[in-house]
Amino acid sequence: MKYSNEQLLTLYERMVLSRVYEELVIELLAMGKIQGGAWHLAIGQEAAQVGCLSALGPNDYFGPTHRCHGVLASKLDINKYTAECLCKGTGYQRGKAAIVHISSMEDKVFPANGILGAGAPIAVGFAVALKRQKKDGVVVSVIGDGASNEGNFYEAINLAAIMEAPVVFFIDNNGIGFTNPISNATRVQDLSAKGAAVGIPGITVDGNDVLAVREAVEAAIERAREGQPSIVEAKSVRLRPHAEGLSAETRDPEMVEEAKKNDPIKRYEKVLKDLGILNDSMISEIYDRMKKLSMDAFEYGFASNYPSKEETCDLSLVYKTLGGDLA
């Protein structure tokens, strides 16, 4: 096995944290303790997201999408992250970023962009800056399948190819953009093939296999360090509607139920059990620990104050979290 037992178990713990954190979001929405509309959950996509993020090295940057709540909770300080989701003053941007635009340049996490696919060209620009400064860093830009049909994505991959930018485009393909199935949006079977139009390689992997995703992204990052951008597509199925409280489920319920049989966490549990790394008592302990971590984070957020008027009007606080200094 390429990875140590500790690394393999950490992947599982992060997947479980992502799942239970987002399941808690569903519970809190039903109780009326938090508001719906902007919670775009990735339940069913944990292997793709954790596999991708875990492949990054200490000098690499992560550009998330709006559907990265659970995985960011495992990457960032979960208390500060949750407080920001609740628009509280103890959050990363003092409540200004809310759910969708949370970032931390200290942790090398870009803010997600409110414009579909617009994070990709920004990632290319940042990657080119790293290259010109001779820094050993790669930018991994995550987009969904819907964003891969946007013009700014094509411009981004074309510019990345021309500039030989140290960037990886990760397409988290869950099969449906909002309510539009991918089959209605493009005739390309594998979205990674879109790189051929601009001369960059691409690979498509099983998005429910966390190890396959990690290995593919690791290889892509190493290519990017040598000036070869590429596309990695991970195919999975999200098990929730587009956004909690915003849109109803439009897919055939039987299709969603069938997808649950390929649950990435259950699949990975079997792998770890077969390797003798995981057992049922450990699974129970990990779930309990991650649930407590998630609940404590929301309690921290609920107990935090909203930002003061002075903090709300002080844009330098946001600017500094993005790596700048107005002074």
Side-chain angles (χ1 to χ4, degrees):
M1 176 60 68
K2 180 179 179 180
Y3 307 106
S4 69
N5 289 358
E6 182 181 0
Q7 288 175 312
L8 294 172
L9 199 57
T10 296
L11 290 175
Y12 178 72
E13 290 178 340
R14 289 183 176 180
M15 290 171 68
V16 172
L17 176 57
S18 179
R19 174 68 61 88
V20 301
Y21 186 90
E22 294 195 338
E23 288 179 339
L24 181 57
V25 167
I26 296 172
E27 293 180 23
L28 293 172
L29 284 167
M31 296 168 64
K33 290 192 173 183
I34 58 177
Q35 299 299 310
W39 293 95
H40 303 80
L41 305 187
I43 292 175
Q45 297 174 246
E46 292 88 359
Q49 296 193 351
V50 171
C52 174
L53 183 57
S54 66
L56 276 67
N59 297 322
D60 301 327
Y61 290 79
F62 184 67
T65 69
H66 57 284
R67 197 177 296 281
C68 286
H69 306 306
V71 74
L72 285 180
S74 73
K75 164 69 173 176
L76 301 174
D77 180 302
I78 191 171
N79 288 342
K80 288 178 64 177
Y81 175 79
T82 305
E84 187 60 41
C85 287
L86 301 177
C87 300
K88 296 299 183 73
T90 54
Y92 274 97
Q93 278 73 47
R94 308 293 194 272
K96 294 184 176 71
I99 301 172
V100 177
H101 303 295
I102 299 172
S103 65
S104 173
M105 290 305 288
E106 180 181 355
D107 297 291
K108 296 182 172 58
V109 174
F110 291 163
N113 199 295
I115 302 172
L116 194 65
I122 294 172
V124 175
F126 198 92
V128 171
L130 291 175
K131 179 180 178 180
R132 291 184 173 178
Q133 295 170 17
K134 302 187 184 305
K135 293 184 178 180
D136 181 33
V138 170
V139 181
V140 177
S141 177
V142 184
I143 65 169
D145 47 279
S148 73
N149 297 314
E150 292 290 313
N152 47 29
F153 171 69
Y154 287 97
E155 293 175 4
I157 61 175
N158 187 55
L159 184 60
I162 294 169
M163 303 295 291
E164 298 182 340
V167 61
V168 175
F169 301 99
F170 183 79
I171 302 178
D172 197 359
N173 182 359
N174 60 36
I176 185 169
F178 204 120
T179 59
N180 192 32
I182 189 65
S183 58
N184 289 346
T186 180
R187 287 293 175 260
V188 177
Q189 294 298 310
D190 292 330
L191 300 180
S192 61
K194 294 187 175 186
V198 299
I200 66 173
I203 184 173
T204 295
V205 296
D206 181 354
N208 282 350
D209 184 338
V210 65
L211 296 180
V213 175
R214 175 162 176 165
E215 289 176 358
V217 176
E218 283 178 338
I221 287 174
E222 289 310 306
R223 289 194 298 269
R225 292 195 203 285
E226 302 300 321
Q228 175 61 78
S230 64
I231 298 173
V232 176
E233 175 195 14
K235 291 185 177 182
S236 61
V237 177
R238 61 171 164 83
L239 302 180
R240 299 293 300 177
H242 172 72
E244 301 300 315
L246 176 66
S247 57
E249 182 59 82
T250 60
R251 297 169 295 178
D252 184 345
E254 292 186 6
M255 186 279 289
V256 177
E257 288 302 311
E258 186 65 26
K260 291 180 181 179
K261 297 178 182 179
N262 195 26
D263 186 315
I265 295 180
K266 295 298 182 183
R267 274 184 58 175
Y268 192 47
E269 280 179 4
K270 184 178 186 307
V271 171
L272 296 183
K273 282 184 174 181
D274 289 346
L275 290 172
I277 299 172
L278 191 67
N279 56 47
D280 289 339
S281 63
M282 291 173 66
I283 290 172
S284 179
E285 185 276 328
I286 289 170
Y287 266 88
D288 288 345
R289 179 156 43 89
M290 297 307 162
K291 286 178 182 177
K292 185 178 187 308
L293 189 63
S294 300
M295 293 176 67
D296 287 349
F298 273 97
E299 288 301 323
Y300 174 84
F302 290 141
S304 297
N305 294 322
Y306 286 103
S308 66
K309 181 171 65 175
E310 291 73 24
E311 286 178 317
T312 301
C313 296
D314 186 1
L315 294 180
S316 67
L317 292 171
V318 174
Y319 191 73
K320 288 177 181 178
T321 65
L322 297 177
D325 189 348
L326 288 179

